[in-house]
Amino acid sequence: MSADTGIEVLRGRQERLPGLIRGALAGPRDLPRFDGVRAVVTTGVGSSLAHARYLAALLRERAGTPAWDAPTGAWLGAPPAAAREQALVVFSQGLSPNARFPLQYADHYRLAVLVTAASEDSSDRAAAVRAARARGVV
């Protein structure tokens, strides 16, 4: 990446920042509904796995909801039939390739949620976000 390209990337991010901050302060627009979900499985890669583990712990300890975290490699094959009564929550700040494994099976779950900073304006990540939404991922 040349210095000019890097500066342009930073300028673009700087220009989007006020809108992003306003959106964050306004709070979530469409929170997913967990109706009919009997358990929650969370996952993430790297530091995002810490968020997944924290959510699973909060759900177990404070909400009494059966929840656990699993590594993204657990989705190298189709999930069990019990997934139809579960929610899947995937954390990935940049929507890394490894975080995309579980999203391939979103339609096996009652509900699938993606928590990411990846937006639809960022190359291959844009296609991954659109594909996840097309499969019903919130």
Side-chain angles (χ1 to χ4, degrees):
M1 175 184 303
S2 72
D4 290 337
T5 304
I7 289 171
E8 291 306 313
V9 168
L10 289 175
R11 283 187 182 133
R13 290 178 180 172
Q14 182 181 21
E15 289 171 4
R16 289 192 311 271
L17 193 56
L20 292 171
I21 291 172
R22 279 193 296 277
L25 292 174
R29 291 181 274 302
D30 297 317
L31 291 175
R33 296 186 53 91
F34 284 76
D35 297 338
V37 170
R38 292 181 176 236
V40 178
V41 59
T42 66
T43 191
V45 177
S47 62
S48 293
L49 182 56
H51 304 298
R53 287 181 174 157
Y54 184 60
L55 175 61
L58 284 176
L59 289 169
R60 282 191 311 269
E61 296 168 12
R62 300 210 179 152
T65 301
W68 61 93
D69 61 272
T72 56
W75 282 271
L76 294 177
R84 292 271 178 226
E85 296 180 346
Q86 299 171 354
L88 169 66
V89 181
V90 178
F91 288 86
S92 180
Q93 181 175 345
L95 198 54
S96 71
N98 287 347
R100 298 176 196 184
F101 287 138
L103 295 174
Q104 295 175 17
Y105 298 102
D107 59 340
H108 287 70
Y109 290 86
R110 182 175 215 72
L111 172 68
V113 178
L114 172 62
V115 181
T116 185
S119 64
E120 290 197 22
D121 64 351
S122 57
S123 66
D124 72 319
R125 295 174 185 170
V129 170
R130 284 192 300 274
R133 285 188 177 153
R135 286 192 303 280
V137 176
V138 177

